[in-house]
Amino acid sequence: MDAQTQIELEAAAFRRLQKHLMEERTDAQNIDMMNLAGFCRNCLSRWYQEAANERGIEMSKDEGREAFYGMPFSEWKEKYQTEASPEAKAAFDKSH
């Protein structure tokens, strides 16, 4: 496989993950993802922002989140984020 094809496949996989998290599993809360996998949507948006910044593209944290979430983060939180359970908060505090 050539390098360009690999990049295109990796980008397609990323877009599929993004779609899955943003459209198909809005019920999966970030704190639960952090507790189970050690990363969440916010991590992915930060990695996106960092990749842009490394390439000389100025992108703020909020711009990175909006690029990943497809909407302002405040709108996402209002639509989909629920209050974390005491157990989820305790697990997060213990692991982070």
Side-chain angles (χ1 to χ4, degrees):
M1 177 182 319
D2 64 79
Q4 184 59 36
T5 300
Q6 181 178 352
I7 289 168
E8 290 169 7
L9 293 175
E10 290 168 350
F14 174 82
R15 287 189 299 271
R16 184 63 185 94
L17 172 63
Q18 181 183 26
K19 180 179 188 224
H20 180 74
L21 293 173
M22 305 316 297
E23 296 176 16
E24 298 164 14
R25 289 306 309 264
T26 57
D27 61 314
Q29 296 297 303
N30 281 339
I31 194 167
D32 296 324
M33 292 173 62
M34 285 296 294
N35 288 341
L36 292 172
F39 77 98
C40 68
R41 293 172 187 88
N42 290 336
C43 298
L44 289 163
S45 70
R46 187 183 74 246
W47 298 338
Y48 186 93
Q49 173 207 1
E50 289 170 355
N53 293 161
E54 288 169 6
R55 286 160 182 77
I57 301 166
E58 289 195 33
M59 182 178 288
S60 69
K61 177 181 172 179
D62 288 337
E63 290 169 331
R65 282 184 172 178
E66 188 164 346
F68 186 82
Y69 281 83
M71 64 184 73
F73 184 56
S74 59
E75 186 177 330
W76 168 268
K77 284 174 46 174
E78 184 178 311
K79 284 184 173 185
Y80 303 111
Q81 188 168 309
T82 61
E83 181 66 30
S85 70
E87 296 82 12
K89 289 178 183 179
F92 182 81
D93 290 341
K94 183 178 178 183
S95 66
H96 295 86

